[in-house]
Amino acid sequence: MHESIEHKAPKVLVDEYGNFHQITDELARGGQGVVYRTTDADLAVKQPLDASGQPDKNANLRERFQRIRLLPMPRRIPVSLPLAILRDEPGYVMRLLNDMKPFAVFDLDGRSKKKLEDEKQALPQWLAKIPEKDLALRLLHYASTGSTRRRLRALAKCATILARLHNAGMVYGDISPNNAFIGEGDPPDVWLIDADNMRPELVSGGVSVYTPGYGAPEVVQGRDQSRPRTDCWAFAVMAFKLLALCHPFIGNKALQTGDDDGGWDAEPQARGDSVPASMEDQAYAGYLPFVDDENDESNKGTGGLPRVLVTTPGLRRLFQATFGAGREHPPSRPAMAFWALELTKAADHALDCPECGMSYFADDHGSCPYCGSERPAFIRIQTPRWEIVIPASTTELALPHRLFYPFSFESHDVTDYESVLNFAAKTAVPARGAKAFPESLTFKFVEGGK
């Protein structure tokens, strides 16, 4: 008698036009749905999920599909819209660039942690002295996924997409690391993939959806619906978590347990609102102060990377305005335009350390604040409008639109000039066939550690 081995056949789905789509692997999963990669490099499939995590057969996708197609979308905006509805199962086909992964890859999840542990490589010297192994692994993962500079670049691209949507009167509705995708390039391509909840801003009514931990207080507490300013809140939470490695509201007070809950200073209960029982849920619902609040230290943060290493003064002001005054007064939150501008500025001033892979702001340190190695040589490219620092090893560079013109959400990364650089000779000239540089453009060649 021969034993039979059952091989699970790849799942094949058919869309409304009769096209076959073979599922390969799962890309991202959230409360509303799951996204799968297909054998077609530029296509993915999203299936809505019900409360039990199974495909939601009651979802009215055709009506949702038609509604999304009628939205006043800005031209060439990188948001993945439905292309076709599946025929026999709930879900739809959407465009997705081949090398893209969700922002969630920046987080050290269980799978990534196990992979690092299984590799059994000795920790680099700059991490070997850290007594907490989990923290050392988180920092190793932070460095290996591009450190602060790549996170800033990805967040800046995401902010420009949201700013364009908001300028068109649209609400995205459910920003989270599973709904924003990043490519491999530098600067990377960024796309938003989940258009299900996008809609024009409404005076009243409408369904509000959010990912737990990212919802704005007024939405979580049921006082208002999704608006551009609730998108701004969710984006700021995501940005803070990706950069600082901690949630902006999980601090000392949020981590209290037992007899500390509901003490004399538990303000939310005194209001008579329907307040969550746990302090952690209160933090996520916006009842506790920001961990870095300048006027209230009752929920002061105890973890995460030092903010001065991963954010600029401009970004810290945006976080304070969003999570400080903006926590109880939503109109105080800065618009996405400010996030796009400040994140791009920050990314343009960050350098990667060639020794440890961590990045930091070139003008703030003469040596790497993580491993102590000398700051590498770099080139400072400057105009009266903008400034960019790049490694000295760069020999060719496309000079972006933002160096020469007012910041544009749609074209700030578009190439305006092409340059050939030689750090040893301290020269920068237009590439062959490229137009001559304007007189306002300067190049400064800064030696290492100076």
Side-chain angles (χ1 to χ4, degrees), residues 193-378:
I193 68 158
D194 193 350
D196 294 27
N197 302 300
M198 281 176 44
R199 58 171 172 78
E201 184 179 12
L202 304 174
V203 176
S204 61
V207 176
S208 295
V209 177
Y210 62 90
T211 297
Y214 295 84
E218 64 271 25
V219 173
V220 180
Q221 297 171 25
R223 295 185 283 107
D224 201 358
Q225 57 173 311
S226 295
R227 300 184 182 280
R229 61 195 182 212
T230 65
D231 282 350
C232 294
W233 176 279
F235 175 86
V237 172
M238 180 173 72
F240 194 88
K241 286 188 66 179
L242 293 185
L243 293 170
L245 296 181
C246 60
H247 192 281
F249 290 90
I250 302 300
N252 285 332
K253 193 168 185 178
L255 296 173
Q256 289 176 359
T257 58
D259 294 338
D260 290 331
D261 286 351
W264 63 269
D265 60 345
E267 294 179 9
Q269 285 84 345
R271 295 190 206 134
D273 296 338
S274 178
V275 178
S278 79
M279 297 298 283
E280 185 173 344
D281 287 341
Q282 288 181 28
Y284 289 146
Y287 288 108
L288 304 186
F290 176 36
V291 293
D292 294 341
D293 195 295
E294 295 175 334
N295 302 311
D296 188 342
E297 295 188 349
S298 63
N299 191 35
K300 189 174 181 179
T302 57
L305 291 171
R307 317 302 184 246
V308 293
L309 293 185
V310 297
T311 60
T312 59
L315 287 175
R316 291 194 290 278
R317 285 193 293 270
L318 294 181
F319 282 123
Q320 285 290 341
T322 302
F323 299 141
R327 179 170 64 94
E328 294 188 336
H329 187 245
S332 299
R333 295 171 198 160
M336 288 310 309
F338 295 102
W339 287 103
L341 187 67
E342 290 297 334
L343 285 161
T344 305
K345 282 183 180 178
D348 282 345
H349 283 79
L351 280 178
D352 293 332
C353 174
E355 297 298 323
C356 68
M358 295 292 273
S359 48
Y360 55 92
F361 302 113
D363 293 324
D364 293 347
H365 304 277
S367 60
C368 176
Y370 299 98
C371 71
S373 61
E374 184 180 81
R375 185 184 66 194
F378 66 91

Side-chain angles (χ1 to χ4, degrees), residues 106-125:
F106 288 128
D107 293 328
L108 181 61
D109 58 14
R111 184 184 304 175
S112 301
K113 183 178 177 182
K114 187 176 187 304
K115 182 181 178 183
L116 288 176
E117 292 173 333
D118 289 346
E119 289 174 352
K120 293 184 169 54
Q121 295 179 353
L123 288 172
Q125 187 175 359

